[in-house]
């Protein structure tokens, strides 16, 4: 069957299509209903089914006689380590950690926060929770204590699992002080904190609360897999919304397992036993889906890479890993390749490695700029396949389904909707737009398995953020269009979310922090174009009357605030003083125009603007500060 036929079938016969896919995974009890709605009116997949995600990811393969196959390769250029775990070995480690969690009183349905660097124990911790039906919430290691505390207060974990340090290039970053600060600030107090001690830094443990990971695992018995309902939560992953309060995306067990399994064959075109590598971080959705769950559920070998595309030790690292471990399918964010391209534009490192095992490169996490795509195609002569998705969906919404039918690539487009996703471009009024017209990218309900059923403890926000704008549709938050050949072009967010080096951040959250500065009356943070990171935030601030703090001091202080409260990953570097912010007469800040001015894009001045003269001042100030690309605008 062609892609078109499969796709059509998946939309017109959703239940038959997903019943067929669900049959590919091992259930303890088969689902009683393929698609249903719950008491809140939200769609649910595979109700009545019982399974265990860690069983599917580990024990199932052992039962099928593939226990000796390598499940996970830890490749860490920053510690000069390569370590391989077979399915058997990984299962043993996971089952013992799960046993340790049970001893600490963690029960099915309890939450566990995981705050860890890119070490195998991070994946083990996730799988150990899944094994006993506990709900994990991984917090990206680059987040500052404040962000961690916010997540602790929302998830209310019984236990936190962490490590003594992370390693960023050559810097050893102790985690324990960050963790202690977060636990001091958070209102909710977890019972225990399990700490994996790394040799690069030894954390001081607080007697009674902190537990040494190795000691716990050594003495713990292996825990069996707890059967859970398909609709039970597997994890919560917090992601940036438009305010300072992150959204707790819920992922269920059944829909997720089916979607993960389906995507490996049909999007990524791999087979069990193949080596699959997603160079991301377990703190992001790509890490959840494509470092840990999907490759293991599908029986591949996954790679957990603790390094960066460059300077660990050089811009050839990716090629080395691909050659050394015979990677067949590679997935990363465009930023990573922009960094490599900058350091090694002629791909001299690539020539040193045999990457003939590699069949395709997948990109996602941010818009893929055509020059990076074309450079990558040219140096590798491989299919370079952009695909678009988000934390909420957990897997690709639009992509080149290379396991079904690989379409010619159009730079700037993530290709076509993935089976199960009924994509529509709507205008303000909710009418479907014809081809080539820009609008709100929406998914007609129900979304396929794997997508969020709701937000953690916040059904109302789920409804208001995603389902209320257009009746019967999920609002993705992205703008874009579909061309007359059905190719989807995602052009960027229509809300206050930005993407900095593939990291999803909220400008609204940054504004809340900057506005807390005592000298600041109001501010606007916008994401401007950045050659390496895709976007970076810049703040425009207006001082309170009578305040005369100089711009340099203000910048230093606000940069410090963002670094302390969100983290260095926000890459917030510039605060620009202006007399007023551009606003409509009704008081709405015109952030989009500010971004367009900074990016040197043409723009039209809205008739509702309060004072058009302010735009000239913004332009002038950016020019004086050498921020943004003003060439076209000036
Ligand atoms: N833990 C702690 N700090 C982190 C961190 C982490 N996991 N990740 C980044 N940071 C810090 C960096 O150390 C840096 O701190 P500094 O200001 O003190 O130097 C800051 O956050 C900014 O980091 P970044 O924007 O990543 O810049 P960089 O120069 O360190 O690295 C790249 C640039 C392009 C190499 C890097 O951004 C990268 O590898 N990007 C790919 C990202 C990716 O794969 N995303 C996955 C989404 S699918
Ligand atoms: P995250 O939830 O961190 O995965 O970020 C999701 C957001 O990143 C999306 O809503 C898009 O704005 C952006 N994004 C992810 N992948 C792509 C892509 N392939 N093309 C364009 N934007 C993308």
């Amino acid at each position: 069957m062609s892609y078109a036929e499969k796709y059509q079938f998946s939309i017109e016969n959703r239940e038959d299509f997903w019943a067929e896919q669900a049959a590919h995974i091992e259930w303890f009890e088969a689902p009683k209903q393929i698609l249903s709605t719950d008491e809140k009116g939200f769609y649910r997949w595979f109700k009545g089914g019982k399974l265990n995600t860690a069983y599917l990811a580990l024990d199932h393969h052992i039962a099928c006689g593939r226990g000796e196959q390598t499940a996970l390769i830890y490749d860490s250029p920053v510690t000069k380590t390569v370590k391989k775990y077979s399915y058997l070995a990984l299962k043993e480690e996971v089952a013992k950690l799960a046993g340790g969690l049970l001893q600490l009183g963690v029960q099915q349905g309890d939450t566990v926060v995981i705050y860890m660097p890119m070490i195998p124990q991070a994946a083990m911790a996730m799988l150990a929770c899944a094994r006993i039906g506990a709900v994990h919430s991984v917090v990206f290691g680059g987040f500052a204590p404040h962000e961690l505390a916010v997540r602790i207060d929302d998830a209310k974990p019984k236990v936190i699992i962490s490590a003594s340090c992370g390693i960023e290039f050559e810097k050893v970053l102790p985690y324990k002080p960050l963790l202690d600060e977060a636990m001091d600030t958070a209102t909710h107090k977890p019972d225990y904190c399990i700490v994996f001690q790394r040799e690069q830094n030894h954390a001081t443990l607080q007697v009674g609360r902190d537990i040494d990971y190795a000691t716990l695992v050594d003495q713990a018995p292996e825990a069996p897999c707890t059967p859970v309902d398909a609709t039970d939560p597997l994890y919560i992953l917090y992601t940036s919304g438009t305010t300072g309060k992150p959204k707790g995306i819920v992922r269920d067990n059944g829909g997720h397992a089916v979607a993960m399994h389906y995507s490996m064959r049909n999007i990524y075109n791999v087979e069990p036993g193949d080596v699959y590598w997603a160079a991301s971080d377990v703190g992001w959705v790509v890490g959840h889906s494509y470092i840990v769950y999907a490759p293991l559920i599908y029986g591949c070998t996954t790679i957990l890479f603790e390094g960066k595309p460059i300077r660990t030790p050089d811009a050839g690292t990716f090629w080395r890993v691909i050659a050394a471990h015979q990677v067949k399918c590679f997935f990363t964010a465009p930023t990573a390749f922009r960094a490599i391209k900058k350091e090694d534009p002629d791909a001299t490192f690539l020539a040193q490695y045999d990457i003939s095992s590699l069949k395709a490169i997948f990109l996602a996490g941010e818009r893929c700029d055509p020059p990076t795509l074309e450079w990558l195609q040219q140096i590798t002569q491989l299919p370079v396949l952009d695909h678009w998705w988000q934390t909420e969906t957990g897997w690709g919404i639009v992509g080149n389904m290379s396991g079904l039918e690989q379409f010619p690539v159009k730079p700037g487009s993530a290709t076509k909707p993935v089976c199960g996703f009924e994509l529509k471009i709507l205008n303000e009024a909710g009418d479907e737009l014809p081809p080539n017209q820009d609008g709100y990218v929406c998914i007609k309900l129900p979304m396929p398995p794997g997508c969020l059923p709701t937000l953690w403890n916040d059904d109302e926000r789920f409804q208001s953020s995603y389902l209320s704008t257009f009746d019967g549709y999920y609002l993705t938050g992205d703008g874009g269009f579909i061309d007359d050949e059905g190719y989807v072009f995602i052009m960027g967010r229509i809300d206050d979310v930005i993407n900095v080096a593939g990291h999803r951040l909220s400008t609204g959250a940054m504004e809340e922090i900057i506005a807390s500065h005592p000298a600041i009356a109001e501010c606007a943070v916008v994401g401007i174009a950045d050659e390496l990171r895709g976007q970076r935030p810049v703040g425009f601030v207006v001082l309170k009357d009578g305040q005369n703090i100089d711009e340099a001091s203000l910048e230093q202080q606000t940069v410090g605030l963002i670094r302390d409260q969100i983290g260095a990953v926000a890459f917030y570097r510039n605060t620009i003083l202006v007399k007023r912010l551009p606003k409509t007469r009704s008081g709405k800040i015109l952030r989009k125009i500010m971004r367009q001015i900074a990016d040197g894009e043409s723009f039209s001045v809205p008739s509702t603007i309060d004072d058009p003269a302010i735009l000239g001042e913004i332009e002038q100030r950016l020019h004086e500060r050498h921020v943004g690309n003003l060439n076209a605008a000036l």
Side-chain angles (χ1 to χ4, degrees), residues 25 27 44 64 70 104 155 189 252 331 436 459 511 569 629:
I25 66 163
W27 297 86
R44 302 308 309 255
C64 293
T70 305
L104 296 179
K189 304 292 173 201
D252 65 13
F331 175 177
N436 299 314
D459 294 330
E511 288 179 3
V569 280
N629 166 21

Side-chain angles (χ1 to χ4, degrees), residues 16 34 215 242 266 285 566 622:
D16 292 345
I34 298 302
T215 313
T242 51
N266 293 284
V285 68
I566 294 181
L622 284 162

Side-chain angles (χ1 to χ4, degrees), residues 131-152:
R131 195 169 185 89
I132 57 170
V135 183
H136 63 71
S137 184
V138 182
V139 178
F140 175 55
F143 278 132
H146 168 77
E147 290 288 321
L148 177 57
V150 167
R151 287 155 174 80
I152 291 173

Side-chain angles (χ1 to χ4, degrees), residues 239 284-286 334 363-368 386-392 398 412 414 476-478 490-493 497 499 502-505:
T239 192
W284 303 115
V285 68
V286 176
L363 299 174
E366 56 179 320
R367 182 171 159 74
C368 178
D386 182 15
H387 59 325
W388 166 68
W389 49 297
Q390 39 185 220
T391 308
E392 287 84 342
V398 171
T476 65
D478 281 293
I490 301 297
M491 304 308 289
R493 298 287 303 194
V497 168
N499 224 302
H503 305 143
R504 175 166 159 180
L505 299 163

